[in-house]
Amino acid sequence: MLTLSEVTDISGEEGNLQVKVLQHPRFVDMDKCIACGTCAEKCPKKVEDQYNAGLMKRKAIYVPYSQTVPLKYAIDKDNCIYFQKGKCRACEKFCPAGAINFEDTEKELDLKVGSVIMAPGFTSFDPSSQDTYGYAALPNVVTSLEFERILSATGPFMGHLSRPSDKSEPKKIAWFQCVGSRDMNRCDNGYCSSVCCMYAVKQTLIAKEHSDVDLDCTVFFMDMRTHGKDFDRYYEHAQEEGIRFIRSRVHSAEPVPGTDDVLVTYVDERGHQEREIFHMVVLSTGLEIDEHVVALSQRLGIELDPYHFVQSDTFHPVATSVSGIYACGAFTGPKDIPQSVMEASAAACAATQPLAVSRNTQTKTVEIPAEKDVTREPPKIGVFVCNCGINIGGVIRVPEVAEFAGTLPHVVYVEENLFTCSQDTQDKMTAVIQEQGLNRVVVAACTPRTHEELFQETLINAGLNKYLFEMANIRNHDSWVHANDPDAATQKAKDLVRMAVAKAGLLSPLHQTDLPVHQSALVVGAGVAGMTAALSLAQQGYPVHLVEKSGTFGGNALQLHRAYQGEDVSAYVKKLTDEVSAHDRITVYPESTIQGVDGFIGNFTTEIQTPDTTETIAHGVAILATGAREYKPDEYLYGSHKAVLTHSEMDRLFMNDDPRLKAAQNVVFIQCVGSRDETHPYCSKVCCTHSVESALELKRRNPDINVYVLYRDMRTYGKREDLYREARKAGILFVRYALQEKPKISDSGDQVRVVFRDPILDRELAVEADFLCLATAIVSYHDQTLAQFFKVPMDADGWFLEAHQKLRPVDFANDGVFLCGMNHYPKPLDESIAQAQAAASRALTVLAMDTINVGGVVCHIDPDLCAGCLACMNVCPYGAISEDKEKNVAEVNEALCKGCGACAATCPCEAAILMGFNNQEIYAQIKGALAA
Amino acid sequence: MNHTQQSEPIQGAVMVIGGGIAGIQSALDMANSGFYVYMVEKSPGIGGVMAQLDKTFPTNDCSM
Amino acid sequence: MVQNENFEPRIIAFMCNWCTYGAADLAGVSRLSYPPNIRPVRVMCSATVSPHHLLRALQEGADGVLVGG
């Protein structure tokens, strides 16, 4: 990891790139810094804190935030008094570890890599230049990022909702949407930033939660773009919670004389100007690409679009114009966290594909010494008590604690260290364990959450099982929080050491076993997502079984005319299908279904029913890419009048160059048919863009045609907003309708008569339409059988439920099973392809292993004690427990167990135990805690 | 394998520029599938913008 | 039960490794201050804390038990 670093140049070819990296000096030795924070405490210089969006101060020597990785301080040279004025060096004087190095210099590194992924992220639009919103002049007009910090418990007001000017609690807050987005007048950002509607809704709800009063939240918006999975439900929930959403364009925010309040002037949907006073205003600022990133891209020759996002095409969403350089995240277009994470995995897959032959050539494996058998020895415990410089020793009387540790049962060795975690102490500890014949180790220092692994490695190096280790957290849980009471802190430290020693005496070695991984994959569904995933894995060198229930490959994409950037879909699908069919590592199973699945990550066996026979295959991972389908409505005369079509039917007319298209005079589109209603309370995401595309296509074919789009919110998110703008420029009419007042359709011979209300004119209009295109929903196949086979959950709408909606968007909680494409949620082709590459990437992390390691801190059910009540099976959140029907007992599959111990708490016979946290060990800790 | 013919072997290392949530995910995936990863981050620590967010939809989890 | 004004309760806190224990770590990093009466027991999930554990703590003389998860 190279921090404080920037890439200055990349040369060479994909597979062999030379990268020049400039590493700026940190002035702190990373090996020595123990992140105690003394330097920052002593540093006299206060600086604006960027992490808190400038709402707070930090010091000139700092970590950006308390959970920073790596947790090492750095000197901000531009603000350091020593560097600016030549005197101070307070940090150097007080650093207990001698980590400060004012002589640190800039380094130039030349690195050789096969490919590069650019994930430089975004910056938040700076609204200072837009004086109509008063951001620069009014303290209580803040950006959304500033508001995040205001809400945060680690922020400037410790999470208390306060406004900046007088720290008073606001009772009325306004959010302005589209600040620096969808705006070609006040800035050049014509795109929609995609995320602001959703984060504004989130902020209103969280602000309400943080507020002691009934907070009045108002969102001023143009279109509410809550098009993601479960987003619409959240938006509706916000409306139920009393958040006001006003469809409008804000004119200005001005000071209210004599107060710190803000006067908001806006124009509502009917064109009336309104005024209202708020205590605070949040600007929902858009996403922009940093100018440094633009400069670097230009230097590297990466083609950017006019908004400075990467110019990528629908079928290669993470590629750039330079071979060997890939991009992901907000750099390829504004997007939210799950989409960024998906693209990140997709880029990982795409960037390593050309390097597959060199897999595992530059990674390192470590030699592990043989493990000593200690099961027959009585406990011989060594206790290492850390001073952590002055962090512990400055409060707790460490010598007293060490002496006390020596009096505890089974303790044969005690040592005090200045820094137990330092590398030289590790080497010494290894020697001591061997010389003294220690078979249990206790370290009384900081937290196991950051340091347990380090010490466990030392145990391994000393030939001890790593689970024969326990920590007493006498820093984070003691000296740091009881700094003003050294006596009590010292007593608590003794108690913590007694607890740790008591538990350590009972610890037994835990073993992990290696299970071989079947290095092949099963992909279910041969639409574009399934084929992309299959091809990615095959090109990475792994055999793939591709199962498709129908006789043709391509899925929904076969019905699509063009992608939103104008690309020809059918040509691409044909190319993809040919590549898949021709690839010697892909076995295809058309007209086949899954009949049964057994096993777990690395070791699945699946039964496939082909037209002729039943085959059983072994595979290490599975990717579900089963798609979704277009909803066929039973309203708006669909099915009974030939002028009424769905999108796929209209695309068919385009593909067939149907002469009726040219002859048509009036075409009407109705949005949200079957979406965002009671039966399907979600947004189908693709239909707004599809309608705009088709409307433009009609105009291209016949410039005189009249096209009307009847919509509820136009959700042409991200770069798709350009199409919407183009459509309005081309004279396509967009008219909003409300769910309570849907357009009315009646038969009118060859045409249909569409009657709708225009909310701006506030009058009813009628159109005799030659075609009525219904933008119908995307609906799930609700394949419960498949879900049960793979033990994966489905939500109320029938979408497969990923392991984590933000951070694990293509994983299932069931390890080794992944998802992509529209069975996850409706999405356009580019996102399906990215998700498919992402699923392949996640699958590769399993396939690249020869074996998987199971065991360690997992549950075990003693068959002699188990009564077979199966209560454990019902509480296990991971489906790791099954019934051994012969013995009538429950059994844990260690490969599935995550070690939560829910079964252990439920078992009435104490047959289920969590290894390393068994009852005896916990009882010993309790006893130890209360023995004083 | 044709690659043995080439003067320089294909590298088994990759680079990620940017240590935000996207960069971190790419780096983890590639490291876990057998490639050595260099991560280049301009600030003193990784985490990016997501680390600045208070809570995230839908569970209102803290974003740490 | 409360004997006198100097009564100092002894509290056993079962802390989930992934949240409460981490939060307690963060309290330290943030140099917050709280009374020294708590003795934390780290568990891998609050779901693993059974009534037995709570009763055992009380039996051994704890004045209170906290389960954080």
Side-chain angles (χ1 to χ4, degrees), chain A residues 438-460:
Chain A
L438 302 180
N439 57 24
R440 307 284 189 283
V441 176
V442 170
V443 171
C446 50
T447 168
R449 285 171 52 87
T450 55
H451 281 70
E452 187 174 52
E453 255 184 76
L454 173 86
F455 296 120
Q456 285 187 327
E457 205 170 299
T458 302
L459 261 70
I460 292 170

Side-chain angles (χ1 to χ4, degrees), chain A residues 895-930:
Chain A
L896 297 175
C897 176
K898 300 264 192 273
C900 73
C903 53
T906 309
C907 181
C909 314
E910 299 196 15
I913 52 169
L914 175 56
M915 311 296 278
F917 292 85
N918 69 33
N919 284 349
Q920 299 318 316
E921 289 160 355
I922 289 177
Y923 294 158
Q925 272 180 299
I926 294 171
K927 200 175 166 115
L930 301 164

Side-chain angles (χ1 to χ4, degrees), chain A residues 176-472:
Chain A
F176 297 174
Q177 298 308 104
C178 301
V179 177
S181 307
R182 300 180 68 186
D183 188 348
M184 295 296 274
N185 300 322
R186 282 176 285 197
C187 60
D188 291 327
N189 297 348
Y191 54 88
C192 157
S193 288
S194 298
V195 300
C196 330
C197 283
M198 197 52 195
Y199 76 56
V201 176
K202 177 200 78 174
Q203 288 185 345
T204 61
L205 286 172
I206 292 177
K208 246 180 149 24
E209 246 172 49
H210 282 231
S211 176
D212 298 327
V213 297
D214 186 19
L215 184 69
D216 181 333
C217 299
T218 307
V219 181
F220 294 94
F221 73 103
M222 297 197 287
D223 291 285
M224 187 47 62
R225 294 189 170 167
T226 45
H227 47 264
K229 192 171 185 172
D230 274 343
F231 287 14
D232 256 331
R233 277 200 178 83
Y234 200 68
Y235 172 39
E236 267 168 35
H237 170 64
Q239 287 169 300
E240 284 158 18
E241 288 289 310
I243 312 290
R244 279 195 297 159
F245 290 90
I246 301 180
R247 201 177 291 270
S248 58
R249 194 68 172 159
V250 172
H251 173 267
S252 62
E254 293 162 309
V256 178
T259 72
D260 293 339
D261 299 344
V262 185
L263 172 68
V264 175
T265 308
Y266 64 95
V267 180
D268 73 10
E269 205 180 9
R270 291 185 181 174
H272 301 309
Q273 184 163 316
E274 306 280 348
R275 290 161 162 250
E276 197 171 336
I277 291 172
F278 292 89
H279 297 141
M280 193 174 172
V281 170
V282 181
L283 305 179
S284 293
T285 48
L287 276 46
E288 278 188 335
I289 299 303
D290 189 82
E291 56 188 45
H292 294 102
V293 176
V294 177
L296 176 64
S297 307
Q298 282 162 350
R299 208 154 57 236
L300 300 176
I302 296 171
E303 200 185 319
L304 304 182
D305 70 16
Y307 304 130
H308 304 315
F309 297 108
V310 172
Q311 183 67 57
S312 56
D313 77 84
T314 298
F315 307 128
H316 305 92
V318 295
T320 71
S321 58
V322 179
S323 106
I325 303 182
Y326 299 83
C328 62
F331 189 30
T332 63
K335 58 179 63 69
D336 61 2
I337 296 168
Q339 195 61 36
S340 291
V341 173
M342 265 180 226
E343 271 195 11
S345 285
C349 177
T352 54
Q353 203 159 293
L355 318 178
V357 290
S358 298
R359 188 188 309 282
N360 292 329
T361 55
Q362 273 163 268
T363 49
K364 293 160 198 156
T365 44
V366 278
E367 295 264 326
I368 301 167
E371 194 176 300
K372 189 175 134 192
D373 181 13
V374 300
T375 46
R376 262 165 254 185
E377 294 176 11
K380 290 176 78 178
I381 304 174
V383 181
F384 296 79
V385 188
C386 183
N387 276 283
C388 195
I390 56 163
N391 280 296
I392 295 171
V395 178
I396 292 166
R397 294 184 295 273
V398 171
E400 201 181 310
V401 175
E403 198 193 321
F404 168 77
T407 67
L408 294 169
H410 304 304
V411 173
V412 297
Y413 181 85
V414 182
E415 186 181 301
E416 228 188 275
N417 313 108
L418 185 58
F419 295 110
T420 311
C421 62
S422 68
Q423 191 48 52
D424 55 318
T425 311
Q426 301 315 296
D427 299 339
K428 230 181 103 198
M429 202 188 273
T430 311
V432 166
I433 291 170
Q434 287 165 339
E435 282 159 21
Q436 302 285 329
L438 302 180
N439 57 24
R440 307 284 189 283
V441 176
V442 170
V443 171
C446 50
T447 168
R449 285 171 52 87
T450 55
H451 281 70
E452 187 174 52
E453 255 184 76
L454 173 86
F455 296 120
Q456 285 187 327
E457 205 170 299
T458 302
L459 261 70
I460 292 170
N461 289 333
L464 274 186
N465 182 281
K466 71 173 183 180
Y467 295 103
L468 299 170
F469 174 75
E470 186 63 21
M471 279 185 91

